[in-house]
Amino acid sequence: MKKPYLIIITLFFVNAGMAQWYWQNPLPQGNSLNSVMFPSSNVGYAVGEFGSIIKTTDGGNNWEVLTSGTTYPLSSVYFTDNNMGYAAGYNGIVLKTIDGGENWITQSSGTTRNLNSVFFLDDSTGYAVGGTYLSSAAGIIIKTTNGGETWNTIVNTPMGLNSVCFPNADTGYAVGWGGTIVKTTDGGANWTALASGTNSGLASVSFVNANTGFAVGDAIIKTTNGGATWSTLLTSGNWLKSVFFTNADTGYVLGFGGTVLETTNGGANWDTISASSQFLFSIYFTNATTGYAVGEYGTIVHTNDAGTNWNSSLNGTLLDLRSVSFTGNNNGYAVGDSGTILKTTDGGENWNVLSTGSGDFLRSVFFINPDTGYIVGFNNFTHSRVILKTTNGATSWDSLSNGESGMLLSVFFTDANIGYIAGMEGIIKTTDGGITWTPLVTTAWNCLNSVYFVDTNTGYAAGDYGTIVKTTDAGSTWTNVSANTGAILSSVYFTDPDTGYAVGYSPGIILKTTDGGATWATKENTSEVYFSVNFISSDTGFVVGSGILKTTDGGTTWNVLNCPGEWLLLSGSFPDANTGYAVGQFGTIIATKNGGGLPVEVNEIPPVSSTLKLYPNPTSCNLTIEAPEKGTVFVYNLNGMLLLQREMTESTATIDVSALPGGVYLVKLIGVKGVQVGKFVKQ
């Protein structure tokens, strides 16, 4: 019974708490990474934007995406051993794991200021620093002596702090904006401001012993007397983000632009190495020769020869993808900038590059059947039309354009011969499978970004300034059925001739009609951007853009789904109720195989078998927990939000739950023997 039990536990806490979408390109994931740290030669972690955490157990050859439980950007990671670690980031968030990242709990840091760096001396004692450039409460240093159960503010500074480093238990340094450097020699009880010799910002600090250290920002500075004096080694025109020294002589500094600066003589001279084409934000070496750096778009590079050569662990394209289309659950295509065409035949587990590197901006892909498909766009340099057709499943493509000018943005076919393309100049139509194209009357229309046909005769197109036009005679005539909005409408979709949706931005908007466009109901959210709308039935539909929305009641309500990426999603394709794909900026491809996920309801919780005893149950005040071992207890609501955390020093403990609202709650105990889960009702 043990194996099924563990599977149930894993599914609940991952599924309830976080996204049901996962990365397919780039891999392992595409969010920018801000910090990397290796507690041992093979085990390493990196954290970044959108709550991203990744892990390797084979020295960086392979990385897995972990579930952090937050979408706040994470700025720093530190592990005391392979299993116990911390991550800190925006809004004062501090996360802790004791099981190698399988589970993360949110700790109360006592601040809402951004935390930029975290450093632990041992399992119990750690520091985090943060703040902003300049404000009434800029810099902050917080400390814990009980493994993060409580954090206390020990000092505030006029300028925000970006990095903290302790060469020993008593001596520590923190650096930040305005050339700020502060030092403690009594384990953080007191801090003294040091004169750095610069008014520029400092982003990172590294000490090789109590006296010799380096700090970087707009310059590289060095001290050999514990910070009493600092000398400038190098002034940089680029912002230097991270510094790491393997010994007193050999060190590395990351600069914007993917360059690594290396010194082998204590900073007297620096050599420039091109490690990546992307910006790098953090560097860490496990020994004299093996190092890792991470940066934007999920970039991971590593060296095995002390920085002479760097290899990338990030796989896949980083070019913007503008459109995705699946002909079934397994066969799909994505197209985008620089002539990029990708194809999958296994549901996105592998995406093969068919074409890339041209000056064509490909904006829309549409397949009539698994063999026959069309791609449209325009050439970025000449602004001439691009129309491509395949009849052999993308083995080869024929160009159907003859140099005509125009920016084509959306393509739709009603059968093998009849198709429509919308764009900057309006709509063109073919009746012979794309051999010839006829312009339709478009003189009074604004740029049209999307075209969709419900049947052979009835079609709609949407575009700038709220423009929506309709035809009921296969495009011979069009009627203006525009909504009363100035928004840019980017996508239109109809579930039947009368019921349809249009979405857009400036402001973020979702429109619905039930009378063929005669009237439109409006749902606006000025802070959002919507690029694509798809329905798989009359009730169930998805919108993608600055996030993912789902409706199961025909657009009456929209649920925000958890999304694993920080970049804009520009197109979606949903072959069935469970399977979906979304593509977007910087090569983003994410997928779901279970409908995207929704908040877990009480009656959806699977029964669990556990030796964890909870009583009285229901309870109105105190809850007694009886467990087979000691450990850390976490109490979650049914949305996966952590509400309480306690250490069990004995096999039985009582916690006060009187402050919790009435409802059903989950209790999780993490101990040496594994994870135990129970459920109780608060009256």
Side-chain angles (χ1 to χ4, degrees), residues 435-479:
I435 297 174
T436 59
W437 293 87
T438 303
L440 304 179
V441 179
T442 60
T443 54
W445 302 344
N446 296 299
C447 173
L448 295 174
N449 301 310
S450 178
V451 60
Y452 186 90
F453 271 72
V454 188
D455 53 41
T456 302
N457 293 314
T458 307
Y460 297 81
D464 293 358
Y465 304 106
T467 299
I468 304 175
V469 293
K470 174 183 180 179
T471 181
T472 56
D473 54 11
S476 296
T477 59
W478 294 81
T479 304

mmCIF file of all heavy atoms in Angstrom, residues 435-479:
data_model
loop_
_atom_site.group_PDB
_atom_site.id
_atom_site.type_symbol
_atom_site.label_atom_id
_atom_site.label_comp_id
_atom_site.label_asym_id
_atom_site.label_seq_id
_atom_site.Cartn_x
_atom_site.Cartn_y
_atom_site.Cartn_z
ATOM 1 N N ILE A 435 -3.781 28.806 -54.877
ATOM 2 C CA ILE A 435 -3.061 29.140 -56.114
ATOM 3 C C ILE A 435 -3.281 30.608 -56.467
ATOM 4 O O ILE A 435 -2.346 31.325 -56.833
ATOM 5 C CB ILE A 435 -3.512 28.219 -57.261
ATOM 6 C CG1 ILE A 435 -3.159 26.765 -56.939
ATOM 7 C CG2 ILE A 435 -2.870 28.651 -58.580
ATOM 8 C CD1 ILE A 435 -3.693 25.772 -57.947
ATOM 9 N N THR A 436 -4.537 31.060 -56.346
ATOM 10 C CA THR A 436 -4.843 32.474 -56.582
ATOM 11 C C THR A 436 -5.604 33.023 -55.383
ATOM 12 O O THR A 436 -6.330 32.292 -54.685
ATOM 13 C CB THR A 436 -5.690 32.661 -57.848
ATOM 14 O OG1 THR A 436 -6.923 31.908 -57.713
ATOM 15 C CG2 THR A 436 -4.937 32.183 -59.083
ATOM 16 N N TRP A 437 -5.445 34.342 -55.178
ATOM 17 C CA TRP A 437 -6.090 35.016 -54.045
ATOM 18 C C TRP A 437 -6.785 36.286 -54.544
ATOM 19 O O TRP A 437 -6.218 37.038 -55.325
ATOM 20 C CB TRP A 437 -5.062 35.380 -52.981
ATOM 21 C CG TRP A 437 -4.455 34.168 -52.320
ATOM 22 C CD1 TRP A 437 -3.373 33.462 -52.762
ATOM 23 C CD2 TRP A 437 -4.914 33.532 -51.144
ATOM 24 N NE1 TRP A 437 -3.119 32.404 -51.917
ATOM 25 C CE2 TRP A 437 -4.050 32.431 -50.903
ATOM 26 C CE3 TRP A 437 -5.956 33.759 -50.253
ATOM 27 C CZ2 TRP A 437 -4.205 31.568 -49.821
ATOM 28 C CZ3 TRP A 437 -6.115 32.911 -49.169
ATOM 29 C CH2 TRP A 437 -5.256 31.825 -48.955
ATOM 30 N N THR A 438 -8.008 36.481 -54.063
ATOM 31 C CA THR A 438 -8.806 37.637 -54.470
ATOM 32 C C THR A 438 -9.016 38.559 -53.283
ATOM 33 O O THR A 438 -9.472 38.115 -52.215
ATOM 34 C CB THR A 438 -10.178 37.193 -55.006
ATOM 35 O OG1 THR A 438 -9.983 36.293 -56.095
ATOM 36 C CG2 THR A 438 -10.996 38.395 -55.445
ATOM 37 N N PRO A 439 -8.716 39.858 -53.428
ATOM 38 C CA PRO A 439 -8.991 40.785 -52.322
ATOM 39 C C PRO A 439 -10.495 41.007 -52.174
ATOM 40 O O PRO A 439 -11.219 41.112 -53.167
ATOM 41 C CB PRO A 439 -8.289 42.077 -52.746
ATOM 42 C CG PRO A 439 -7.614 41.812 -54.031
ATOM 43 C CD PRO A 439 -8.071 40.498 -54.555
ATOM 44 N N LEU A 440 -10.946 41.072 -50.924
ATOM 45 C CA LEU A 440 -12.332 41.385 -50.636
ATOM 46 C C LEU A 440 -12.424 42.864 -50.263
ATOM 47 O O LEU A 440 -11.423 43.522 -50.004
ATOM 48 C CB LEU A 440 -12.845 40.508 -49.504
ATOM 49 C CG LEU A 440 -12.697 38.992 -49.745
ATOM 50 C CD1 LEU A 440 -13.220 38.207 -48.557
ATOM 51 C CD2 LEU A 440 -13.424 38.571 -51.016
ATOM 52 N N VAL A 441 -13.647 43.406 -50.237
ATOM 53 C CA VAL A 441 -13.822 44.837 -49.968
ATOM 54 C C VAL A 441 -13.361 45.135 -48.547
ATOM 55 O O VAL A 441 -13.887 44.593 -47.569
ATOM 56 C CB VAL A 441 -15.292 45.246 -50.147
ATOM 57 C CG1 VAL A 441 -15.464 46.724 -49.843
ATOM 58 C CG2 VAL A 441 -15.736 44.942 -51.570
ATOM 59 N N THR A 442 -12.368 45.994 -48.416
ATOM 60 C CA THR A 442 -11.759 46.229 -47.106
ATOM 61 C C THR A 442 -11.463 47.699 -46.838
ATOM 62 O O THR A 442 -10.849 48.032 -45.838
ATOM 63 C CB THR A 442 -10.419 45.477 -47.014
ATOM 64 O OG1 THR A 442 -9.543 45.963 -48.038
ATOM 65 C CG2 THR A 442 -10.605 43.985 -47.187
ATOM 66 N N THR A 443 -11.878 48.603 -47.713
ATOM 67 C CA THR A 443 -11.387 49.981 -47.647
ATOM 68 C C THR A 443 -11.734 50.690 -46.347
ATOM 69 O O THR A 443 -11.009 51.583 -45.917
ATOM 70 C CB THR A 443 -11.962 50.795 -48.819
ATOM 71 O OG1 THR A 443 -13.391 50.678 -48.817
ATOM 72 C CG2 THR A 443 -11.418 50.282 -50.141
ATOM 73 N N ALA A 444 -12.833 50.320 -45.693
ATOM 74 C CA ALA A 444 -13.255 51.042 -44.491
ATOM 75 C C ALA A 444 -12.814 50.352 -43.207
ATOM 76 O O ALA A 444 -13.169 50.789 -42.127
ATOM 77 C CB ALA A 444 -14.778 51.204 -44.481
ATOM 78 N N TRP A 445 -12.050 49.275 -43.337
ATOM 79 C CA TRP A 445 -11.708 48.504 -42.152
ATOM 80 C C TRP A 445 -10.323 48.850 -41.637
ATOM 81 O O TRP A 445 -9.424 49.207 -42.397
ATOM 82 C CB TRP A 445 -11.766 47.010 -42.439
ATOM 83 C CG TRP A 445 -13.107 46.546 -42.928
ATOM 84 C CD1 TRP A 445 -14.283 47.221 -42.853
ATOM 85 C CD2 TRP A 445 -13.385 45.315 -43.589
ATOM 86 N NE1 TRP A 445 -15.295 46.492 -43.416
ATOM 87 C CE2 TRP A 445 -14.767 45.301 -43.877
ATOM 88 C CE3 TRP A 445 -12.620 44.227 -43.966
ATOM 89 C CZ2 TRP A 445 -15.391 44.249 -44.519
ATOM 90 C CZ3 TRP A 445 -13.231 43.173 -44.600
ATOM 91 C CH2 TRP A 445 -14.603 43.177 -44.874
ATOM 92 N N ASN A 446 -10.149 48.691 -40.354
ATOM 93 C CA ASN A 446 -8.826 48.789 -39.756
ATOM 94 C C ASN A 446 -8.104 47.450 -39.913
ATOM 95 O O ASN A 446 -8.658 46.486 -40.429
ATOM 96 C CB ASN A 446 -8.954 49.146 -38.274
ATOM 97 C CG ASN A 446 -9.573 50.511 -38.084
ATOM 98 O OD1 ASN A 446 -9.025 51.508 -38.532
ATOM 99 N ND2 ASN A 446 -10.722 50.561 -37.424
ATOM 100 N N CYS A 447 -6.863 47.408 -39.472
ATOM 101 C CA CYS A 447 -6.091 46.165 -39.531
ATOM 102 C C CYS A 447 -6.859 45.036 -38.872
ATOM 103 O O CYS A 447 -7.357 45.169 -37.745
ATOM 104 C CB CYS A 447 -4.750 46.371 -38.831
ATOM 105 S SG CYS A 447 -3.780 44.868 -38.656
ATOM 106 N N LEU A 448 -6.968 43.898 -39.573
ATOM 107 C CA LEU A 448 -7.687 42.743 -39.055
ATOM 108 C C LEU A 448 -6.675 41.692 -38.601
ATOM 109 O O LEU A 448 -5.829 41.248 -39.380
ATOM 110 C CB LEU A 448 -8.615 42.173 -40.124
ATOM 111 C CG LEU A 448 -9.749 43.114 -40.555
ATOM 112 C CD1 LEU A 448 -10.525 42.519 -41.717
ATOM 113 C CD2 LEU A 448 -10.676 43.428 -39.382
ATOM 114 N N ASN A 449 -6.769 41.298 -37.343
ATOM 115 C CA ASN A 449 -5.781 40.419 -36.730
ATOM 116 C C ASN A 449 -6.199 38.962 -36.681
ATOM 117 O O ASN A 449 -5.362 38.088 -36.430
ATOM 118 C CB ASN A 449 -5.495 40.892 -35.302
ATOM 119 C CG ASN A 449 -4.986 42.313 -35.259
ATOM 120 O OD1 ASN A 449 -4.054 42.656 -35.981
ATOM 121 N ND2 ASN A 449 -5.600 43.153 -34.438
ATOM 122 N N SER A 450 -7.495 38.689 -36.906
ATOM 123 C CA SER A 450 -7.976 37.318 -36.756
ATOM 124 C C SER A 450 -9.193 37.092 -37.640
ATOM 125 O O SER A 450 -10.056 37.971 -37.764
ATOM 126 C CB SER A 450 -8.340 37.054 -35.289
ATOM 127 O OG SER A 450 -8.858 35.756 -35.111
ATOM 128 N N VAL A 451 -9.259 35.911 -38.252
ATOM 129 C CA VAL A 451 -10.413 35.533 -39.053
ATOM 130 C C VAL A 451 -10.840 34.127 -38.654
ATOM 131 O O VAL A 451 -9.998 33.254 -38.389
ATOM 132 C CB VAL A 451 -10.104 35.615 -40.564
ATOM 133 C CG1 VAL A 451 -8.962 34.694 -40.960
ATOM 134 C CG2 VAL A 451 -11.353 35.331 -41.394
ATOM 135 N N TYR A 452 -12.168 33.907 -38.587
ATOM 136 C CA TYR A 452 -12.700 32.600 -38.175
ATOM 137 C C TYR A 452 -14.038 32.374 -38.870
ATOM 138 O O TYR A 452 -14.896 33.270 -38.918
ATOM 139 C CB TYR A 452 -12.901 32.563 -36.656
ATOM 140 C CG TYR A 452 -13.304 31.203 -36.147
ATOM 141 C CD1 TYR A 452 -12.337 30.276 -35.760
ATOM 142 C CD2 TYR A 452 -14.636 30.822 -36.068
ATOM 143 C CE1 TYR A 452 -12.690 29.022 -35.305
ATOM 144 C CE2 TYR A 452 -15.003 29.562 -35.616
ATOM 145 C CZ TYR A 452 -14.027 28.671 -35.239
ATOM 146 O OH TYR A 452 -14.374 27.414 -34.778
ATOM 147 N N PHE A 453 -14.223 31.148 -39.395
ATOM 148 C CA PHE A 453 -15.482 30.784 -40.038
ATOM 149 C C PHE A 453 -16.152 29.661 -39.256
ATOM 150 O O PHE A 453 -15.522 28.660 -38.910
ATOM 151 C CB PHE A 453 -15.238 30.351 -41.488
ATOM 152 C CG PHE A 453 -15.294 31.492 -42.456
ATOM 153 C CD1 PHE A 453 -14.276 32.432 -42.487
ATOM 154 C CD2 PHE A 453 -16.380 31.654 -43.301
ATOM 155 C CE1 PHE A 453 -14.322 33.502 -43.363
ATOM 156 C CE2 PHE A 453 -16.430 32.725 -44.189
ATOM 157 C CZ PHE A 453 -15.408 33.659 -44.216
ATOM 158 N N VAL A 454 -17.458 29.854 -39.006
ATOM 159 C CA VAL A 454 -18.248 28.853 -38.305
ATOM 160 C C VAL A 454 -18.665 27.745 -39.257
ATOM 161 O O VAL A 454 -18.725 26.576 -38.886
ATOM 162 C CB VAL A 454 -19.500 29.492 -37.669
ATOM 163 C CG1 VAL A 454 -20.221 28.492 -36.773
ATOM 164 C CG2 VAL A 454 -19.134 30.741 -36.899
ATOM 165 N N ASP A 455 -18.988 28.105 -40.474
ATOM 166 C CA ASP A 455 -19.364 27.145 -41.502
ATOM 167 C C ASP A 455 -18.921 27.705 -42.845
ATOM 168 O O ASP A 455 -18.185 28.703 -42.909
ATOM 169 C CB ASP A 455 -20.869 26.856 -41.478
ATOM 170 C CG ASP A 455 -21.718 28.120 -41.535
ATOM 171 O OD1 ASP A 455 -21.357 29.037 -42.308
ATOM 172 O OD2 ASP A 455 -22.729 28.198 -40.818
ATOM 173 N N THR A 456 -19.376 27.115 -43.923
ATOM 174 C CA THR A 456 -18.918 27.525 -45.251
ATOM 175 C C THR A 456 -19.238 28.979 -45.550
ATOM 176 O O THR A 456 -18.468 29.672 -46.226
ATOM 177 C CB THR A 456 -19.560 26.628 -46.324
ATOM 178 O OG1 THR A 456 -19.227 25.268 -46.052
ATOM 179 C CG2 THR A 456 -19.060 26.985 -47.715
ATOM 180 N N ASN A 457 -20.364 29.466 -45.038
ATOM 181 C CA ASN A 457 -20.811 30.810 -45.393
ATOM 182 C C ASN A 457 -20.574 31.861 -44.313
ATOM 183 O O ASN A 457 -20.361 33.030 -44.634
ATOM 184 C CB ASN A 457 -22.314 30.781 -45.736
ATOM 185 C CG ASN A 457 -22.596 30.007 -47.004
ATOM 186 O OD1 ASN A 457 -21.919 30.186 -48.013
ATOM 187 N ND2 ASN A 457 -23.589 29.120 -46.954
ATOM 188 N N THR A 458 -20.632 31.464 -43.058
ATOM 189 C CA THR A 458 -20.641 32.433 -41.966
ATOM 190 C C THR A 458 -19.264 32.586 -41.349
ATOM 191 O O THR A 458 -18.685 31.614 -40.837
ATOM 192 C CB THR A 458 -21.640 32.019 -40.868
ATOM 193 O OG1 THR A 458 -22.922 31.788 -41.466
ATOM 194 C CG2 THR A 458 -21.751 33.107 -39.810
ATOM 195 N N GLY A 459 -18.741 33.802 -41.421
ATOM 196 C CA GLY A 459 -17.417 34.060 -40.871
ATOM 197 C C GLY A 459 -17.314 35.421 -40.225
ATOM 198 O O GLY A 459 -18.126 36.326 -40.477
ATOM 199 N N TYR A 460 -16.305 35.578 -39.393
ATOM 200 C CA TYR A 460 -16.061 36.831 -38.678
ATOM 201 C C TYR A 460 -14.572 37.161 -38.728
ATOM 202 O O TYR A 460 -13.722 36.274 -38.812
ATOM 203 C CB TYR A 460 -16.487 36.707 -37.213
ATOM 204 C CG TYR A 460 -17.962 36.453 -37.003
ATOM 205 C CD1 TYR A 460 -18.495 35.170 -37.130
ATOM 206 C CD2 TYR A 460 -18.825 37.492 -36.678
ATOM 207 C CE1 TYR A 460 -19.842 34.930 -36.935
ATOM 208 C CE2 TYR A 460 -20.179 37.261 -36.482
ATOM 209 C CZ TYR A 460 -20.681 35.984 -36.608
ATOM 210 O OH TYR A 460 -22.023 35.757 -36.415
ATOM 211 N N ALA A 461 -14.272 38.451 -38.657
ATOM 212 C CA ALA A 461 -12.894 38.905 -38.529
ATOM 213 C C ALA A 461 -12.862 40.049 -37.530
ATOM 214 O O ALA A 461 -13.818 40.837 -37.435
ATOM 215 C CB ALA A 461 -12.333 39.351 -39.874
ATOM 216 N N ALA A 462 -11.770 40.122 -36.757
ATOM 217 C CA ALA A 462 -11.648 41.147 -35.716
ATOM 218 C C ALA A 462 -10.290 41.814 -35.820
ATOM 219 O O ALA A 462 -9.305 41.208 -36.268
ATOM 220 C CB ALA A 462 -11.840 40.526 -34.335
ATOM 221 N N GLY A 463 -10.234 43.097 -35.377
ATOM 222 C CA GLY A 463 -8.983 43.816 -35.480
ATOM 223 C C GLY A 463 -8.896 45.039 -34.606
ATOM 224 O O GLY A 463 -9.514 45.116 -33.530
ATOM 225 N N ASP A 464 -8.146 46.021 -35.064
ATOM 226 C CA ASP A 464 -7.851 47.205 -34.262
ATOM 227 C C ASP A 464 -9.103 48.059 -34.045
ATOM 228 O O ASP A 464 -10.056 48.013 -34.826
ATOM 229 C CB ASP A 464 -6.771 48.044 -34.943
ATOM 230 C CG ASP A 464 -5.421 47.328 -34.971
ATOM 231 O OD1 ASP A 464 -5.348 46.205 -34.419
ATOM 232 O OD2 ASP A 464 -4.468 47.884 -35.538
ATOM 233 N N TYR A 465 -9.042 48.845 -32.947
ATOM 234 C CA TYR A 465 -10.114 49.778 -32.587
ATOM 235 C C TYR A 465 -11.468 49.087 -32.444
ATOM 236 O O TYR A 465 -12.508 49.656 -32.776
ATOM 237 C CB TYR A 465 -10.206 50.917 -33.607
ATOM 238 C CG TYR A 465 -8.915 51.661 -33.778
ATOM 239 C CD1 TYR A 465 -8.138 51.478 -34.915
ATOM 240 C CD2 TYR A 465 -8.448 52.527 -32.783
ATOM 241 C CE1 TYR A 465 -6.929 52.143 -35.061
ATOM 242 C CE2 TYR A 465 -7.236 53.199 -32.930
ATOM 243 C CZ TYR A 465 -6.482 53.003 -34.070
ATOM 244 O OH TYR A 465 -5.290 53.662 -34.220
ATOM 245 N N GLY A 466 -11.447 47.853 -31.971
ATOM 246 C CA GLY A 466 -12.689 47.136 -31.721
ATOM 247 C C GLY A 466 -13.399 46.664 -32.966
ATOM 248 O O GLY A 466 -14.575 46.268 -32.909
ATOM 249 N N THR A 467 -12.726 46.658 -34.105
ATOM 250 C CA THR A 467 -13.370 46.285 -35.371
ATOM 251 C C THR A 467 -13.760 44.811 -35.381
ATOM 252 O O THR A 467 -12.941 43.937 -35.088
ATOM 253 C CB THR A 467 -12.435 46.553 -36.556
ATOM 254 O OG1 THR A 467 -12.119 47.947 -36.599
ATOM 255 C CG2 THR A 467 -13.078 46.125 -37.869
ATOM 256 N N ILE A 468 -15.013 44.536 -35.728
ATOM 257 C CA ILE A 468 -15.494 43.173 -35.973
ATOM 258 C C ILE A 468 -16.387 43.235 -37.210
ATOM 259 O O ILE A 468 -17.311 44.048 -37.280
ATOM 260 C CB ILE A 468 -16.286 42.596 -34.791
ATOM 261 C CG1 ILE A 468 -15.465 42.644 -33.503
ATOM 262 C CG2 ILE A 468 -16.697 41.141 -35.084
ATOM 263 C CD1 ILE A 468 -16.239 42.197 -32.272
ATOM 264 N N VAL A 469 -16.096 42.376 -38.196
ATOM 265 C CA VAL A 469 -16.910 42.325 -39.406
ATOM 266 C C VAL A 469 -17.409 40.897 -39.603
ATOM 267 O O VAL A 469 -16.798 39.935 -39.133
ATOM 268 C CB VAL A 469 -16.129 42.805 -40.643
ATOM 269 C CG1 VAL A 469 -15.811 44.292 -40.521
ATOM 270 C CG2 VAL A 469 -14.848 42.000 -40.835
ATOM 271 N N LYS A 470 -18.526 40.786 -40.323
ATOM 272 C CA LYS A 470 -19.216 39.500 -40.464
ATOM 273 C C LYS A 470 -19.659 39.293 -41.910
ATOM 274 O O LYS A 470 -20.071 40.228 -42.591
ATOM 275 C CB LYS A 470 -20.433 39.472 -39.541
ATOM 276 C CG LYS A 470 -21.330 38.252 -39.691
ATOM 277 C CD LYS A 470 -22.554 38.364 -38.777
ATOM 278 C CE LYS A 470 -23.472 37.145 -38.926
ATOM 279 N NZ LYS A 470 -24.655 37.246 -38.030
ATOM 280 N N THR A 471 -19.583 38.026 -42.358
ATOM 281 C CA THR A 471 -20.135 37.644 -43.651
ATOM 282 C C THR A 471 -21.051 36.446 -43.473
ATOM 283 O O THR A 471 -20.805 35.581 -42.630
ATOM 284 C CB THR A 471 -19.034 37.303 -44.663
ATOM 285 O OG1 THR A 471 -19.648 36.962 -45.922
ATOM 286 C CG2 THR A 471 -18.182 36.134 -44.196
ATOM 287 N N THR A 472 -22.126 36.399 -44.266
ATOM 288 C CA THR A 472 -23.014 35.236 -44.277
ATOM 289 C C THR A 472 -23.111 34.626 -45.674
ATOM 290 O O THR A 472 -23.933 33.737 -45.919
ATOM 291 C CB THR A 472 -24.429 35.623 -43.788
ATOM 292 O OG1 THR A 472 -24.923 36.696 -44.598
ATOM 293 C CG2 THR A 472 -24.397 36.044 -42.324
ATOM 294 N N ASP A 473 -22.247 35.120 -46.578
ATOM 295 C CA ASP A 473 -22.276 34.617 -47.949
ATOM 296 C C ASP A 473 -20.868 34.288 -48.451
ATOM 297 O O ASP A 473 -20.492 34.624 -49.569
ATOM 298 C CB ASP A 473 -22.958 35.617 -48.884
ATOM 299 C CG ASP A 473 -22.335 36.999 -48.813
ATOM 300 O OD1 ASP A 473 -21.235 37.142 -48.204
ATOM 301 O OD2 ASP A 473 -22.944 37.947 -49.339
ATOM 302 N N ALA A 474 -20.092 33.647 -47.564
ATOM 303 C CA ALA A 474 -18.749 33.178 -47.909
ATOM 304 C C ALA A 474 -17.828 34.307 -48.352
ATOM 305 O O ALA A 474 -16.984 34.136 -49.230
ATOM 306 C CB ALA A 474 -18.812 32.096 -48.986
ATOM 307 N N GLY A 475 -18.023 35.475 -47.767
ATOM 308 C CA GLY A 475 -17.106 36.574 -47.990
ATOM 309 C C GLY A 475 -17.466 37.523 -49.099
ATOM 310 O O GLY A 475 -16.746 38.503 -49.329
ATOM 311 N N SER A 476 -18.565 37.265 -49.797
ATOM 312 C CA SER A 476 -18.939 38.171 -50.891
ATOM 313 C C SER A 476 -19.274 39.556 -50.349
ATOM 314 O O SER A 476 -18.895 40.581 -50.938
ATOM 315 C CB SER A 476 -20.128 37.600 -51.671
ATOM 316 O OG SER A 476 -19.773 36.389 -52.304
ATOM 317 N N THR A 477 -19.985 39.595 -49.251
ATOM 318 C CA THR A 477 -20.289 40.876 -48.601
ATOM 319 C C THR A 477 -19.990 40.741 -47.111
ATOM 320 O O THR A 477 -20.070 39.651 -46.532
ATOM 321 C CB THR A 477 -21.763 41.267 -48.784
ATOM 322 O OG1 THR A 477 -22.598 40.236 -48.233
ATOM 323 C CG2 THR A 477 -22.094 41.465 -50.251
ATOM 324 N N TRP A 478 -19.653 41.878 -46.499
ATOM 325 C CA TRP A 478 -19.310 41.916 -45.074
ATOM 326 C C TRP A 478 -20.081 43.045 -44.400
ATOM 327 O O TRP A 478 -20.270 44.126 -44.976
ATOM 328 C CB TRP A 478 -17.812 42.135 -44.895
ATOM 329 C CG TRP A 478 -16.976 40.979 -45.386
ATOM 330 C CD1 TRP A 478 -16.608 40.720 -46.670
ATOM 331 C CD2 TRP A 478 -16.422 39.932 -44.593
ATOM 332 N NE1 TRP A 478 -15.855 39.571 -46.749
ATOM 333 C CE2 TRP A 478 -15.711 39.070 -45.482
ATOM 334 C CE3 TRP A 478 -16.419 39.625 -43.236
ATOM 335 C CZ2 TRP A 478 -15.026 37.930 -45.050
ATOM 336 C CZ3 TRP A 478 -15.735 38.500 -42.803
ATOM 337 C CH2 TRP A 478 -15.055 37.658 -43.686
ATOM 338 N N THR A 479 -20.497 42.779 -43.168
ATOM 339 C CA THR A 479 -21.227 43.753 -42.369
ATOM 340 C C THR A 479 -20.405 44.131 -41.151
ATOM 341 O O THR A 479 -19.804 43.266 -40.506
ATOM 342 C CB THR A 479 -22.581 43.183 -41.908
ATOM 343 O OG1 THR A 479 -23.318 42.753 -43.049
ATOM 344 C CG2 THR A 479 -23.370 44.230 -41.143
#
